[in-house]
Amino acid sequence: MPELPEVETIVRTLAPQVLERRIADAAALHPRVLQAGADLLPRLRGGRVLRLSRRGKLLLMHVRPGPVQAAALGASELILAFHLKMTGRFFVHPEGTAPLKHTRLVIDLEGAGRLFFDDMRTFGYCRIMLPHELAQWPFWAALGPEPLDMPAKALAAHFARVFAGRRAAIKAVLLNQEVVAGVGNIYADEALFQAGINPARRAADVPRQRLSALATALQAILRRAIEECGSSIRDYRDALGNAGAFQNAFAVYGRKGELCLSCGAPLEFCRIAGRATVFCPRCQA
DNA sequence: TCCTCCCTGTTC
DNA sequence: GAACAGGGAGGA
């Protein structure tokens, strides 16, 4: 569930709890949580948390290893890339807290408690990488642009370029992280509604004017969702345990059969790219 | 380009 | 006790 606004909120709420802290120890508690870099896990010990950042739906923790480890690694930075998928969460617990039922990774911070990465469904993962390994990671290298890092005009032009010749449904294309990074099921449905585009429409067939509306709508919705600290449907919480509030502003997501807030028609449901999709048959042409 | 699978707690 | 939630890998 964590999409761009949720991951951004987690970065913001987690940063004050971990920045500049020294790592006393790190342990993986589930066999699949470390998708890469299990050998680097012990190298984190003695390192310091330099920075948290986000790219698409990935949360990155940048660690400066201690001098001995840095020399052994030949690098001054280790990067932990987390993908939260549906149910990944972070929370800092007091020192001595035992792992919870779904705790997958524990990072002990000197004098600042224990950072738990919990993930009920074990879809989420962490990759521990050197900077050049991150650059060579195919998923990372293929990520599309950040939708909030450019003017709406430029985003619209990017959509026009990328959508040309695409026969797939526009929603399926929006969900593709190589097209634009960070958009998931919720924000794709909401942006398409606000832009008045039927999610099943072939991407290449959407007129340029609608693409401008889509770029504007997507940016507005992502920004507003960040302001509201994300959307909490079931599982999502930020790194302080707080729920987001943007779910209260949904126009279509999760509102199958309810009435369109704009025209009053019943909202319809379909499946696109295997994802639940809700739209207004009247407002979205 | 589309479908299936992964996973588990909640809802029907 | 089945359907459902869904990002992304992998295969048809």
Side-chain angles (χ1 to χ4, degrees), chain A residues 75-138:
Chain A
S76 60
E77 190 176 345
L78 280 170
I79 298 150
L80 284 73
F82 290 89
H83 198 310
L84 279 53
K85 291 292 182 84
M86 256 80 72
T87 54
R89 297 181 178 194
F90 292 96
F91 197 83
V92 179
H93 296 267
E95 214 165 312
T97 306
L100 307 172
K101 183 175 178 188
H102 301 301
T103 303
R104 311 304 182 197
L105 195 76
V106 178
I107 297 177
D108 285 304
L109 303 164
E110 278 179 21
R114 321 189 76 191
L115 172 62
F116 287 6
F117 173 57
D118 297 314
D119 182 21
M120 179 183 86
R121 281 157 84 171
T122 66
F123 275 25
Y125 59 78
C126 172
R127 300 175 67 100
I128 309 176
M129 293 174 286
L130 295 162
H132 76 274
E133 293 174 318
L134 174 66
Q136 290 164 4
W137 178 24

Side-chain angles (χ1 to χ4, degrees), chain A residues 201-240:
Chain A
R201 194 128 180 230
R202 284 185 179 182
D205 294 348
V206 178
R208 177 59 205 255
Q209 177 199 343
R210 290 284 105 194
L211 295 186
S212 295
L214 179 62
T216 305
L218 181 63
Q219 290 193 334
I221 286 168
L222 292 174
R223 290 204 176 101
R224 170 128 185 256
I226 292 171
E227 282 173 24
E228 304 272 351
C229 299
S231 306
S232 292
I233 313 298
R234 281 172 297 272
D235 304 297
Y236 166 72
R237 292 292 182 276
D238 70 19
L240 293 168

